[in-house]
Amino acid sequence: MTEEKIIESLRAVLDPEIGINIVDLGMVYNVDIRDSGIFVQMTMTTPTCPLHAVITRDAEQVLQTVFEDAKKVEIELVWDPIWNPSMMSDSAKQLLGWE
């Protein structure tokens, strides 16, 4: 289990409204691997996102499925820094027609 493998696994989690994965959207801020499990800090594109529970649940389920040996998977929503479009990957910007 590595940070890179965790991030790659999180690419399977899509923002249902936009249809782009949370990694390319720049919503994953930090991945921490500890003896007690996997901890991910992420955000939403807006603090009022009505789908935050769906997206965090999907992220947790993907990680629990891929990393069955992880004792714990914890997703923490954070709001600092506040998400902005510059956090997106170039491919996400292209998909949205921003580049």
Side-chain angles (χ1 to χ4, degrees):
M1 172 182 345
T2 65
E3 182 178 331
E4 292 79 20
K5 288 182 181 180
I6 292 168
I7 290 171
E8 191 58 36
S9 298
L10 289 172
R11 289 184 187 281
V13 180
L14 301 180
D15 180 314
E17 291 182 314
I18 302 173
I20 298 174
N21 73 73
I22 62 173
V23 173
D24 283 333
L25 285 173
M27 294 166 54
V28 178
Y29 286 174
N30 186 46
V31 172
D32 191 15
I33 302 167
R34 304 178 194 161
D35 289 338
S36 57
I38 300 170
F39 298 86
V40 176
Q41 287 183 322
M42 61 178 287
T43 196
M44 298 289 124
T45 56
T46 174
T48 59
C49 176
L51 297 172
H52 72 279
V54 171
I55 295 169
T56 55
R57 182 199 66 221
D58 289 352
E60 187 174 305
Q61 287 178 343
V62 162
L63 294 177
Q64 287 173 337
T65 300
V66 173
F67 302 100
E68 294 175 350
D69 294 340
K71 296 176 188 172
K72 180 179 184 178
V73 172
E74 184 177 317
I75 308 294
E76 178 186 9
L77 283 181
V78 296
W79 307 107
D80 185 28
I82 293 181
W83 181 89
N84 68 73
S86 71
M87 296 173 166
M88 292 190 295
S89 70
D90 289 341
S91 63
K93 290 176 186 174
Q94 287 175 341
L95 286 170
L96 293 171
W98 293 9
E99 267 192 10

